[in-house]
Amino acid sequence: APRFTLRIRSAKLIAGHCEYLCIIRDVSASGVRLRVFHAMPPQLQLTLELSSGERFLVERVWEREDHAGFRFSN
């Protein structure tokens, strides 16, 4: 799907009781690419929480150095 680059937008990934700060780099109708600052947790399914409080279930598809790609879960 076409991707759109956003202004720097902070968010966090939630895995159980742990939260990981991230920056949204670009987004499409099907997924999102994030700049991450920590090693990703082993779970493939996480919750992405925006600064507005909106939450989306996401599934990790790939991870390279300080970026990771996620698909929105149904």
Side-chain angles (χ1 to χ4, degrees):
R3 293 202 169 266
F4 299 94
T5 302
L6 305 172
R7 285 189 262 169
I8 293 177
R9 185 175 205 172
S10 63
K12 62 184 171 183
L13 285 168
I14 302 169
H17 297 296
C18 298
E19 297 180 350
Y20 302 86
L21 178 65
C22 60
I23 301 289
I24 299 173
R25 299 301 299 164
D26 58 51
V27 66
S28 73
S30 59
V32 63
R33 180 171 61 107
L34 304 176
R35 162 75 160 88
V36 295
F37 300 94
H38 306 282
M40 289 286 91
Q43 299 95 318
L44 291 180
Q45 291 198 316
L46 304 163
T47 300
L48 176 65
E49 184 177 299
L50 306 182
S51 57
S52 66
E54 277 185 283
R55 289 183 171 197
F56 301 91
L57 293 176
V58 294
E59 181 179 335
R60 186 172 55 240
V61 178
W62 60 267
E63 184 178 350
R64 280 186 226 107
E65 297 174 11
D66 59 354
H67 285 82
F70 295 85
R71 177 178 346 172
F72 294 117
S73 300
N74 294 337

